[in-house]
Amino acid sequence: AFVHTDAVQAAGKVPVDVGAWGVDTAAFSAHKLHGPKGIGALYVRRGVRIEPLAPGGGQERRVRGGTENVPGIIAFGVAARLARERLEEDATSMRRLRDRLEEGILAAVPGSRVVGALAPRLPNTSTILFADAAGEALLIRLDLSGVAVSAGSACSSGSPEPPEALLALAIPAEEARCALRFSLSRATREAEIDAVLERLPRMVADTRAGVPALSETPS
C-alpha cells in the first residue's frame, strides 16, 4: 500500500526520520517550526512517481508549476536547522509546561479529561474535553480574554461538525464538541500557563451555566 504521512505537526517537535518511518511521501511546513508561512516541503521516496496537478518545468522536478519561492526556501532551511539543534531542549521545555497545564486544569476543572494522556504524543499539544461545555463557546471566551486555542484543526475551522480526529478515536460526537486544543511552542512561558489556569475554571463554569461571554476581559 502507498503510505503518505502528514508530518507537519511533528517536525521541530520530535525526531524526523522518513527512512525509519517507511513512508512513500511525507509533508512538512515551515510555519510549524517558526519559519515563514507559505513554504513547505514534500518528501518523495526514490522510485515513487507522482502525477502533477499543475505540470511545470524542471525546477520542481516536473511535479509542480510556478517559480520557486527562494527566500522562503532559505528561511525554511534555517528554521529547520535551528529546530534540529534545539530539538531536545525545546521538547523538554514544552512537555514540562504542557504537563503543568494539564495537571492544573484537571485539578481545577471538574469533568475535564485529557485525550490520549497515556499514549505517545507530541510534547507541545494537548486536547482536553470539558464535559457539558461546548468547545466553540469556550474558545470565544478564551479569545476575548487574550488566550488563543482551537476547537479543531485549522483545516476544519468554521465547520459545525466535531473534529474527525476525535471521532476516529471512538469519542462520541457530543463529547468531541466539548474539546479544546492547546498548543505550546518554544516561546511559551510560565506566566502564560498561569494566566490560562487562572481564567479557565471560571470560564468553563460560566459556559456550563449559560452565562453570556460578552463580559470577558483580560486580567
Side-chain angles (χ1 to χ4, degrees):
F2 180 91
V3 178
H4 170 75
T5 184
D6 179 350
V8 166
Q9 288 282 10
K13 315 298 190 310
V14 296
V16 171
D17 187 340
V18 290
W21 291 350
V23 297
D24 296 292
T25 58
F28 304 92
S29 185
H31 77 282
K32 288 296 185 180
L33 41 82
H34 301 278
K37 290 186 177 182
I39 185 68
L42 178 67
Y43 161 77
V44 181
R45 181 175 57 79
R46 190 181 302 277
V48 171
R49 299 190 63 178
I50 292 187
E51 186 72 21
L53 293 176
Q59 78 277 14
E60 296 282 6
R61 302 191 182 185
R62 301 192 180 281
V63 297
R64 181 181 182 276
T67 302
E68 292 179 329
N69 177 5
V70 176
I73 293 170
I74 294 172
F76 192 179
V78 172
R81 176 177 57 80
L82 293 174
R84 183 177 60 189
E85 293 172 354
R86 304 174 51 120
L87 185 64
E88 185 174 347
E89 174 188 350
D90 286 347
T92 298
S93 174
M94 290 185 289
R95 186 180 296 107
R96 178 180 61 82
L97 292 175
R98 182 205 63 190
D99 291 348
R100 183 165 172 267
L101 175 69
E102 291 178 347
E103 291 166 4
I105 290 175
L106 295 180
V109 182
S112 56
R113 173 164 68 95
V114 178
V115 176
L118 301 179
R121 54 190 175 128
L122 296 176
N124 71 307
T125 57
S126 176
T127 296
I128 301 181
L129 301 178
F130 298 93
D132 303 318
E136 288 288 349
L138 272 177
L139 183 151
I140 292 171
R141 291 180 186 276
L142 287 163
D143 180 63
L144 290 173
S145 73
V147 178
V149 297
S150 66
S153 69
C155 312
S156 61
S157 60
S159 171
E161 299 303 317
E164 291 186 9
L166 298 185
L167 299 179
L169 294 173
I171 294 174
E174 286 308 308
E175 289 187 36
R177 289 190 176 92
C178 298
L180 285 182
R181 188 182 74 181
F182 298 83
S183 297
L184 288 70
S185 76
R186 69 167 69 125
T188 304
R189 298 293 178 259
E190 297 272 359
E192 294 171 311
I193 301 299
D194 292 339
V196 174
L197 294 178
E198 177 186 351
R199 302 170 193 177
L200 185 62
R202 175 177 57 83
M203 293 180 181
V204 174
D206 286 349
T207 299
R208 288 169 173 167
V211 177
L214 298 179
S215 60
E216 305 290 353
T217 54
S219 61

